[in-house]
Amino acid sequence: MIQVTNLFKKYGKSTQALKDVNFHIEPGEFVSIVGQSGSGKSTLIKIIIAEEKADKGQVVVGGWDITRIKEREIPTLRRQLGVIFQDYKLLSKKTVFENVAFAMQACGFKQKDITKTVHQMLALVGLKDKENRYPHQLSGGEQQRVAIARSLVHKPKLLVADEPTGNLDSINTREIIDLLKKINNLGTTIVLVTHNKDVVNGLKSRVITLDNGVLISDQSQGRYLL
Amino acid sequence: MISFFRVIKFAFQGFFRNFWLSLVTVTMMLMALFSTTLLIGIDYIKEATLEGVNKKVDILVSLKVDTDREDVELLATDLETMTEVKKVTIITPEENRVLYEQSNLDEQAKKVLEIFAPDENPFGFSLAVQANNLSQYDAILSFIGQDKYKNLVDNSDFNDFDTFVAKIENLSKVINKYSWYVILAFLLISIVVIFNTIRISIYSRKDEIQIMKLVGAGNWFVKMPFILESILYAVASVALLIVVVYPIINFIQPSLNAYFQDVNVINILEYFHSNFFRIFGLQFLVLALINILSTSIAIRKYLRI
Ligand SMILES: Nc1ncnc2c1ncn2[C@@H]1O[C@H](COP(=O)(O)OP(=O)(O)O)[C@@H](O)[C@H]1O
Ligand SMILES: [Mg+2]
């Protein structure tokens, strides 16, 4: 599902964010990426969703070599991925329903299909009764669930999440992680960047550890090292 | 086609759901439009004033007292054949006397008439000659100054008139030159202000743009609602402009009439009415164009994600 080979990324002249990173993720896996702040986790995610470009090396996502992806191909890539962020990234002037629908409208789906799928996804994340609220009328956990619903509408085979629970308390964190596990069980590959030791240890799945841009450990059934 | 309707819907949503931002943007645009309209109004008043002056100005050619009616009419006909001349009016000695009596000279000066008997008239014929425009009076004056008219014309007050015409003409030239600079400066300032207003408005919504891109929207799909929204700004500000401008011109029209003591010299209300589409339609088109361009330029860097 993801093949990263000899990946290098530098910001400016001096910040080496990723140094010779190599790993391979199979379809259906649930992989956690951990590491201290500034170790290059977000940079890795940004390269996977083509928000940043690699300096050297190769990145293949879902069989597609995106290392030299053209700007006009980027939307096509993103429509095959689900992405969630620490700050939810919801459109503040759109309702819950409209936020989730937007990802499908952008792809040109018919309104009938959109309505059906959006209701289905909002039910999955447990927000069926709040579809007419605006993001600021929701709690952090609820906002993140909206973002998850949005990331799922085009049925992605890969879901990447950059510290999705970073702004949440432990109960909400638990709910979000459970939701991600459920999605993984339905067959979606998940790459989860996190800081949270309990989350990583509770998952008992593969853990990739970055330190200063270098991949220092890659263990199946791993634990939080640092 | 579905996308097309969605884009329109998003444009309206963006306009109304960012109400305060839209209001600020539209207000800035309204001020720019208002300045331009003010200039258009001032330009019209200037033109109308010059035309009004032109209409009121004529050369008064006083003829020698003993000139015959036939000779006067001959001269009038000669003048009328000139292309520069618009109208020649013959003023009889009797009319001249009445005009003198009714003029605002002081009583002392008017008493001078008392030395003449009622049937004696110290005035001769006069001709009021009107040109098509101010610059033509020179030609008319030199025509009258020809030797063959020497024994008819009593040309004492020509010089004075000459300088008056020159002054008015000069003034009009200065105003024209000056107003071009002002209009140019205003247009430039307006364009800069509008461009920056749109830039700020787009900047304040850059997160929205980036989010749309991150969830897989194409550039066109993100950009079009913003472009349409910028056209809505133009629609709203021109509509508000019309609402603001008409009461103002209604309010100032009476004082303009009073200035010339004549309704038809400066009729700004009529001018705005008959040039409605030229004034407001053109401003709408130009503003919409500036908005579309500014939006396209301002949004570009946020789409690159
Ligand atoms: N846009 C950027 N410009 C310059 N430096 C950056 C940028 N983004 C990240 N960095 C730097 O790259 C390094 C890795 O950052 P990041 O990938 O965000 O780490 P993490 O997500 O693990 O906290 C850090 O030193 C950070 O300061
Ligand atoms: Mg990060």
Side-chain angles (χ1 to χ4, degrees), chain B residues 204-236:
Chain B
S204 71
R205 291 169 68 185
K206 68 178 193 303
D207 291 342
E208 193 182 329
I209 295 163
Q210 289 170 349
I211 292 169
M212 290 175 179
K213 285 291 315 247
L214 284 175
V215 300
N219 284 356
W220 184 88
F221 195 69
V222 176
K223 192 164 118 178
M224 274 320 278
F226 282 89
I227 300 259
L228 285 181
E229 216 182 304
S230 79
I231 298 174
L232 287 181
Y233 292 150
V235 173

Side-chain angles (χ1 to χ4, degrees), chain A residues 150-205:
Chain A
R150 179 182 62 189
S151 74
L152 295 176
V153 284
H154 34 53
K155 316 253 169 11
K157 296 199 175 62
L158 172 66
L159 182 68
V160 291
D162 190 356
E163 307 210 30
T165 60
N167 288 346
L168 301 178
D169 60 31
S170 56
I171 296 171
N172 276 304
T173 296
R174 177 76 170 260
E175 278 179 14
I176 295 296
I177 298 299
D178 284 346
L179 196 52
L180 292 179
K181 278 203 264 192
K182 188 161 133 194
I183 293 160
N184 181 240
N185 286 337
L186 295 170
T188 304
T189 312
I190 293 193
V191 176
L192 168 69
V193 167
T194 184
H195 240 105
N196 191 314
K197 194 173 179 174
D198 298 333
V199 166
V200 176
N201 294 342
L203 278 168
K204 297 189 186 65
S205 63

Side-chain angles (χ1 to χ4, degrees), chain A residues 49-51 71 74-76 78-79 83 85 89-95 98-99 102-111 114 134 150 154, chain B residues 2-3 6 9-11 13-14 16-20 205 207-219 221-222 225 300 303-305:
Chain A
I49 65 173
E51 196 181 330
E71 200 188 315
I74 292 174
T76 316
R78 291 183 183 154
R79 287 170 199 175
V83 194
F85 305 90
K89 295 210 189 296
L90 297 177
L91 297 165
S92 60
K93 302 288 178 177
K94 289 192 189 286
T95 64
E98 289 165 348
N99 261 283
F102 183 83
M104 291 183 83
Q105 289 165 333
C107 303
F109 281 97
K110 288 204 198 76
Q111 194 57 44
I114 293 176
Y134 285 90
R150 179 182 62 189
H154 34 53
Chain B
I2 312 175
S3 305
R6 276 176 193 157
K9 189 174 140 197
F10 289 166
Q13 276 183 0
F16 289 106
R17 292 190 187 176
N18 296 282
F19 185 75
W20 290 107
R205 291 169 68 185
D207 291 342
E208 193 182 329
I209 295 163
Q210 289 170 349
I211 292 169
M212 290 175 179
K213 285 291 315 247
L214 284 175
V215 300
N219 284 356
F221 195 69
V222 176
R300 229 171 24 192
L303 287 173
R304 226 177 280 133
I305 186 172

Side-chain angles (χ1 to χ4, degrees), chain A residues 123-137:
Chain A
L124 177 74
V125 300
L127 285 173
K128 224 169 33 181
D129 51 334
K130 294 188 173 161
E131 63 171 48
N132 289 322
R133 296 214 192 170
Y134 285 90
H136 69 89
Q137 297 168 319

Side-chain angles (χ1 to χ4, degrees), chain B residues 144-155:
Chain B
I144 296 167
Q146 288 177 96
D147 281 347
K148 55 176 173 178
Y149 301 125
K150 272 244 165 80
N151 52 341
L152 295 179
V153 176
D154 189 5
N155 57 356

Side-chain angles (χ1 to χ4, degrees), chain B residues 117-163:
Chain B
D119 56 340
E120 267 182 318
N121 193 342
F123 293 97
F125 281 96
S126 309
L127 291 176
V129 187
Q130 209 177 76
N132 287 309
N133 70 57
L134 284 175
S135 62
Q136 292 166 334
Y137 281 105
D138 263 350
I140 297 172
L141 284 171
S142 58
F143 181 86
I144 296 167
Q146 288 177 96
D147 281 347
K148 55 176 173 178
Y149 301 125
K150 272 244 165 80
N151 52 341
L152 295 179
V153 176
D154 189 5
N155 57 356
S156 54
D157 52 4
F158 281 5
N159 285 338
D160 238 20
F161 186 77
D162 223 2
T163 54

Side-chain angles (χ1 to χ4, degrees), chain A residues 24-35:
Chain A
H24 180 82
I25 294 173
E26 294 289 338
E29 278 194 88
F30 193 130
V31 181
S32 304
I33 296 179
V34 301

